């Protein structure tokens, strides 16, 4: 029988685990009535928690993402609430409360926060190709099933801008049942990363040797079970340049009582496993030193582009500024820097003699205009 001190120790450990996975925040919510004030309090608590994990600069650059995709779900991230004081004051209903926000590392909120902090919430396109199974028979459902499993898991892991392959392949005359020519897909300014996956599937019956009197008869008998091995070869491309960032392989096995269920199970498993590996690869890449920034400039006159070039060269922690291409008022400038694109833009605005506007930005690519 468990002793009292052992029960107390286990209880204290469980309490510590719960505390580590939650954070209490004291906030004040304001609304037209008690319900709206409570919703505002929960949103404010989530906003404070997010602010402790993500820098203010990142919050500004990802403002629409944070507001639309995190704060809109604030109620779902709250696990408990204790009202300290409430009442109508100065024409509005006010609630002061302690709010418990779920900060478990595997929670939807923390997955989302981690994604914004580490990768800036990249736009990802996943295309799965399939050449045939062990018998050479093409199964059209397999690549789509695998793609769905990958995209679903990526979304669960915090990625929210996962682009459908139908949009990527639309009007490109690309056959997903053959090797894909990535030059038809890249570069693509609407993506940060393109992920090409080649799926292979091998399925076979599980048979075992027959034994009689502790010795084999040389014959086999069928177990009635089917083993499937699904394997994916993955290439991750930087969408703006077509550069291969990394390549790796993932495989998963499943055993079921039919070829169909076994194949389906292994494909879903390998898709989920692949998504986890993709997240690891992108996070590792983001953590490594990647100092190159590609700047797309749209200007009404070339003199403005020349001034931008000179201003860039004068910025601290910016080097190797060079114009790669110019065509009809559009210039492509590459540079190396250890500061974020948003900071480069802010410093650049202070240097030039005309107005600048940011159109698009991600970790290694920014489009600005003088128009």
């Amino acid at each position: 029988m468990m002793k009292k001190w052992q029960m107390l120790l286990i209880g204290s450990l469980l309490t510590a685990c719960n505390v580590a996975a939650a954070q209490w925040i004291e906030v004040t919510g304001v609304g037209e009535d008690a319900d709206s004030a409570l919703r505002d309090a929960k949103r404010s608590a989530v906003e404070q928690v997010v602010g402790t994990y993500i820098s203010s600069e990142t919050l500004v650059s990802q403002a629409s993402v944070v507001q639309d995709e995190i704060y809109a779900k604030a109620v779902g991230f709250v696990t408990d609430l204790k009202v300290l004081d409430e009442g109508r004051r100065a024409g509005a209903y006010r609630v002061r409360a302690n709010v418990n926000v779920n900060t478990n590392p595997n929670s939807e909120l923390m997955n989302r926060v981690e994604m914004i902090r580490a990768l800036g919430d990249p736009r990802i396109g996943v295309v799965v190709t399939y050449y045939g199974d062990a018998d050479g028979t093409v199964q059209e459902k397999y690549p789509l099933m695998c793609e769905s499993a990958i995209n679903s898991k990526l979304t669960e892991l915090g990625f929210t801008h996962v682009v459908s392959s139908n949009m990527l392949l639309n009007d490109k005359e690309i056959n997903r049942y053959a090797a894909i020519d990535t030059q038809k897909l890249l570069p693509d300014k609407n993506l940060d990363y393109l992920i090409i996956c080649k799926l292979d599937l091998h399925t076979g019956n599980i048979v075992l040797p027959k034994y009689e009197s502790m010795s084999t008869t040389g014959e086999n008998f069928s177990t009635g079970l089917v083993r499937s091995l699904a394997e994916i070869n993955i290439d991750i491309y930087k969408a703006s340049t077509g550069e291969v960032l990394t390549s790796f392989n993932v495989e998963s096995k499943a055993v079921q009582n039919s070829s169909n269920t076994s194949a389906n199970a292994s494909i879903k498993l390998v898709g989920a496993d692949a998504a986890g590996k993709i997240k690891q690869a992108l996070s590792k890449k983001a953590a490594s030193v990647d100092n190159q920034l590609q700047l797309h400039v749209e200007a009404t006159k070339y003199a403005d582009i020349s001034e931008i070039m000179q201003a860039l060269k004068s910025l601290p922690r910016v080097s190797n500024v060079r114009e790669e291409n110019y065509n009809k008022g559009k210039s492509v400038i590459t540079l190396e820097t250890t500061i974020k694109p948003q900071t480069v833009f802010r410093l650049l605005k202070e240097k030039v003699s005309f107005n600048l506007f940011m159109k698009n930005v991600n970790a290694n690519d920014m489009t600005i205009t003088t128009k």
Side-chain angles (χ1 to χ4, degrees):
M1 186 173 179
M2 188 176 293
K3 295 182 180 179
K4 184 176 181 180
W5 70 268
Q6 291 174 316
M7 296 176 66
L8 290 173
L9 177 60
I10 292 173
S12 63
L13 289 173
L14 290 173
T15 301
C17 290
N18 289 332
V19 170
Q23 188 169 341
W24 285 95
I25 304 290
E26 183 177 324
V27 293
T28 298
V30 181
E32 294 182 356
D33 51 32
D35 287 342
S36 60
L38 283 172
R39 287 195 299 270
D40 186 59
K42 293 175 181 179
R43 182 188 181 283
S44 296
V46 172
E47 185 174 353
Q48 287 190 37
V49 170
V50 171
T52 64
Y53 289 94
I54 304 178
S55 69
S56 58
E57 181 179 285
T58 302
L59 282 173
V60 170
S61 67
Q62 299 288 338
S64 62
V65 173
V66 172
Q67 291 173 3
D68 296 341
E69 298 171 12
I70 292 184
Y71 298 158
K73 300 179 180 179
V75 173
F77 302 143
V78 172
T79 59
D80 197 4
L81 183 145
K82 298 178 181 178
V83 175
L84 304 176
D85 181 44
E86 62 180 310
R88 185 168 294 279
R89 303 182 189 90
Y93 201 92
R94 300 174 186 273
V95 173
R96 184 168 64 89
N98 274 331
V99 180
N100 188 300
V101 180
N102 183 6
T103 54
N104 186 303
N106 294 320
S107 69
E108 182 183 356
L109 173 63
M110 295 313 296
N111 276 331
R112 195 72 194 89
V113 166
E114 180 190 349
M115 195 56 52
I116 293 176
R117 181 173 60 176
L119 297 170
D121 196 38
R123 300 161 299 173
I124 295 176
V126 178
V127 178
V128 177
T129 67
Y130 182 62
Y131 302 178
D133 59 16
D135 299 322
T137 303
V138 173
Q139 298 284 345
E140 293 186 3
K141 68 176 182 178
Y142 289 157
L144 296 178
M145 182 186 297
C146 185
E147 214 168 81
S148 177
I150 293 173
N151 291 347
S152 177
K153 188 63 177 181
L154 285 174
T155 302
E156 181 183 323
L157 292 173
F159 295 90
T160 59
H161 295 94
V162 182
V163 182
S164 165
S165 65
N166 291 332
M167 295 180 64
L168 298 174
L169 303 180
N170 186 34
D171 299 328
K172 297 286 197 315
E173 296 184 357
I174 291 177
N175 179 8
R176 68 165 72 242
Y177 308 111
I180 286 182
D181 181 3
T182 56
Q183 291 185 353
K184 292 182 178 180
L185 295 172
L186 299 174
D188 187 339
K189 289 185 179 180
N190 296 317
L191 289 178
D192 295 308
Y193 302 104
L194 174 65
I195 301 170
I196 302 293
C197 308
K198 180 185 179 298
L199 171 67
D200 282 315
L201 177 67
H202 304 281
T203 300
N205 295 323
I206 299 177
V207 295
L208 296 174
K210 281 186 176 181
Y211 283 88
E212 292 181 2
S213 302
M214 302 302 292
S215 63
T216 180
T217 64
E219 299 177 357
N220 293 327
F221 73 94
S222 175
T223 63
L225 298 174
V226 181
R227 178 194 293 114
S228 291
L229 169 66
E231 183 178 6
I232 304 180
N233 294 301
I234 300 173
D235 294 319
I236 300 180
Y237 293 84
K238 186 176 179 180
S240 60
T241 63
E243 172 193 0
V244 179
L245 298 178
T246 187
S247 300
F248 53 91
N249 174 277
V250 181
E251 63 178 44
S252 296
K253 300 175 183 178
V255 176
Q256 297 288 334
N257 57 10
S258 74
S259 296
N260 184 53
T261 56
S262 177
N264 291 350
S266 65
I267 288 173
K268 291 176 181 178
L269 283 172
V270 82
D273 291 344
K277 296 288 186 181
I278 288 168
K279 179 184 178 181
Q280 290 177 13
L282 292 179
S283 299
K284 183 178 180 180
K285 185 65 181 176
S288 66
V289 179
D290 187 1
N291 296 333
Q292 190 172 74
L293 172 66
Q294 189 169 77
L295 183 63
H296 301 267
V297 182
E298 300 174 1
T300 54
K301 53 186 179 180
Y302 190 77
D304 291 346
I305 294 175
S306 296
E307 186 174 339
I308 288 173
M309 290 277 292
Q310 292 303 314
L312 287 169
K313 291 177 181 178
S314 68
L315 295 183
R317 292 189 286 170
V318 172
S319 60
N320 294 332
V321 178
R322 56 190 180 274
E323 185 176 44
E324 303 290 346
N325 184 43
Y326 176 79
N327 183 34
K328 297 180 180 180
K330 295 183 178 181
S331 176
V332 178
I333 300 170
T334 59
L335 56 100
E336 292 181 6
T337 181
T338 56
I339 56 180
K340 294 181 179 295
Q342 293 87 350
T343 305
V344 171
F345 176 73
R346 178 174 57 80
L347 295 174
L348 192 58
K349 284 187 67 174
E350 296 171 358
K351 290 279 187 179
V352 299
S353 59
F354 43 82
N355 290 328
L356 277 181
F357 306 93
M358 183 189 297
K359 294 182 68 176
N360 295 295
V361 64
N362 58 57
N364 298 100
D365 194 274
M366 179 166 60
T367 301
I368 63 175
T369 180
T370 64
K371 303 174 184 178

